Each structure stands twice: as C-alpha cells, then as structure tokens.
Amino acid sequence: MRTIEMIGNVVKLIDQRKLPRVFEIVECRDYRAVEHAIKDMTIRGAPAIGAAAAFGLALAALESKATTRDDFLRDLDAAEKILRATRPTAVNLMWALDRVMNATRAINLDANGLRDFVVAEAQRIAEEDVAINSAMAKNGAALINDGDTILHHCNTGPLATVDVGTALGCIIEAHRQGKQVHVMVDETRPRLQGARLTAWELMQYGVPMTLIADNAAGHYLRAGKIQKCFVGSDRVAANGDVANKIGTYKVAVVAHENGVPFYAVMPTSTIDMNLPHGDLIPIEERDAREVTHIEGVAIAPEGVRVGNPAFDVTPNKYITALVTERGVVRPPFGENLLSIMK
Ligand code: MRU
C-alpha cells in the first residue's frame, strides 16, 4: 500500500514508528488524529507530511457541520492553523495547506460543494506526489553510474513520500534499470530512520546495501569507497542552501573535502523561494528523550542536558546539484532555481 491514502472518510497510514519490527496501519478518522500522527512521526518525510496535512484538511472538511460557505471556511481555517503548527521545517506541509486553502477560497461553491472540492484537492496532491517522484527518480537515476557506491542519509524512500521516494527513489530506479549500485546507509541517529526504514526498504527492493553508524561515513568517504552522496531535503532556500535531517551538513562537508559529488533530491514543492538563504529556515527542536533513550531504554544519565535539533542546513557551496521533477539544477543556484521555479 501507499504510505498514506484516504479511502472514504478514513485516512490510512503506515505506522513508521514501529517499522521494521511490526507493519501496522493507523486509521485517522478526524483531523486531530492526523495532527498527532504528524507530530509523533507516525508519518514523516517532507512530501509525506505534505500529503498528510492535505488529507487532514479533507477530514476537517468532512467533519464540518457548516451549512454556509462562510461557516465552512471558518471551520477549515481553524483546522488549517492546527495542522500548520505540527512540524516547522518541512515546507511541503505549509505548501500543501496553502494550496488547498487558496484553491478552496478561490472557488465559488456552497458548503457542500467546497467539502467535495477539499477532498478532491487532497487526493490530487497525493496522486501528483507519486507522478512527481517518478519523474525525479528518472532524473536522479541518470546521474548514477553502473558500479557506484552511494552514501545515503535518513530515509527518503517510498515511506517518506506517498510512494516512490526522493533520493532513495533515484537509487531504486537506477537499480531497476540494471545498474550495479551499492548503498551505504547512515543509521541516522537519534530516530534511526536509516537503520529502521531505509535498510528495510532497500532490502524489500533487493538493492545491495551496508548499514553504517553515522560516525563511519567520514571514514568511507576518505577511503575512496563512495562515489556519490544522495540525500533528500525538507526545505531549500532560494540560494540553494538545503535543510535536511540532522547530520547531513557533516556528510556534505566531508564529501566536499574528498571530492565526492553531493546531490540533494526534492520536488519543487520543497523549494521555498520566499527565503533568501538557509539561515532563515526554522529548525525543529525535538524532545530530549529521542537522544537519551533508545526504544524506551535510557542510555544517558537522568537529568542530562540535551540538544536535539532535527535538521541542519548545508550551505549551497557543498552541493553539486539539486535534482527535481523539472530537471537537475546546478550552480549558480540562485539564478537557476529562479528559472526552474517560474
Ligand atoms: O524528521 P523526518 O524523518 O521527517 O525527516 C525526514 C528527512 O529529513 C528526509 O531526508 C526529508 O524529508 C527529505 S526526503 C523525503
């Protein structure tokens, strides 16, 4: 099944907190359940939470008892504010909410008409995500050579999107095309998206891989064992600075130092042309328990002070190219992003 889908008045999602030990589907029947699923990372990954937010609005539309257009829009506005506050960094969330809200406000329908419209628009966002990721996968796979060993950080596979994936989608596509690829999978502390989700997905697709501790990436890069780095992104600023899972910056700097190309893969909905540079990207700070505990077991002394930024920003000078559904963008990123986003 897809990472997320809406059937009737139920939004179904794969529970990403429990993988790979248990494959379980969570059913959300109201938008507050979607709010919690995004916050506690039952669903995660930038495009996936964009689709989740849109489906959250669809549930809010179905929940609304409003009979007038104005009352309906008021109900939808209230839900939109709550969904917007779930996670701050991945701009796909805000992008999807803006798209549904703007389209709904612009269309001249009564409350019932708007209700159907919101559900249909959310379904369109999910469908388009799959098509966009498929295009991106082809664009990215063209950059991968037969025999490449590729370093990957976090999880950017089908689970991080509605389906197909971003960076991992490119790697899976290259494998599907018959290229011999090997993936070095960063475990990605603190939540272990690499060890739990990426390793599981690659094994399902039969893509050869090696799981490594995050701290081992530099060793392999310096030893010349890695030909390319592929990562996703949660938000790209107008100058090409890339926010992605914490640890990405360190990988990019070491890759640059060792002359290894570093590619970031994202749909154009991840590109935030309103932010001139990456220092303006809001960085989510998550619960200390993600660092002090693994699977509920304490690994640090009680009461220790913890810093837990969920993302970091990689300055554009470390990035070889950005891969989007519209093509591969190379430096100068400011100029070239402007033309691709037109
Ligand atoms: O905190 P997460 O698991 O939602 O973070 C996910 C990432 O950082 C991914 O690399 C990113 O969303 C881009 S690929 C879908």
Side-chain angles (χ1 to χ4, degrees), residues 141-302:
L143 299 167
I144 295 171
N145 295 326
D146 195 30
D148 275 353
T149 293
I150 301 167
L151 182 73
H152 177 271
H153 193 68
C154 194
N155 173 262
T156 67
L159 286 165
T161 62
V162 176
D163 206 350
V164 180
T166 60
L168 210 62
C170 301
I171 297 170
I172 294 167
E173 173 61 20
H175 168 80
R176 206 192 55 78
Q177 291 173 0
K179 294 177 185 168
Q180 300 293 316
V181 291
H182 192 100
V183 190
M184 303 301 275
V185 176
D186 270 359
E187 61 173 349
T188 318
R189 276 282 288 148
R191 289 190 67 112
L192 300 170
Q193 289 95 327
R196 295 190 304 103
L197 308 175
T198 301
W200 183 72
E201 286 185 318
L202 287 175
M203 287 173 85
Q204 305 249 326
Y205 284 95
V207 181
M209 54 150 289
T210 304
L211 178 64
I212 59 170
D214 298 329
N215 292 336
H219 165 77
Y220 285 110
L221 281 161
R222 201 179 79 82
K225 304 271 191 223
I226 290 166
Q227 281 71 52
K228 274 158 200 139
C229 299
F230 265 70
V231 300
S233 173
D234 292 81
R235 197 186 295 226
V236 178
N239 70 344
D241 290 350
V242 167
N244 191 48
K245 180 52 55 194
I246 193 73
T248 303
Y249 170 54
K250 241 164 64 166
V251 172
V253 173
V254 181
H256 188 259
E257 174 68 20
N258 289 282
V260 176
F262 185 93
Y263 297 99
V265 185
M266 75 292 301
T268 47
S269 55
T270 305
I271 300 169
D272 186 350
M273 296 303 281
N274 296 319
L275 295 187
H277 56 79
D279 293 348
L280 299 170
I281 298 173
I283 300 295
E284 177 180 14
E285 182 76 25
R286 290 190 64 89
D287 201 297
R289 227 181 129 83
E290 291 184 349
V291 179
T292 56
H293 288 66
I294 294 182
E295 308 268 282
V297 178
I299 54 157
E302 215 184 309

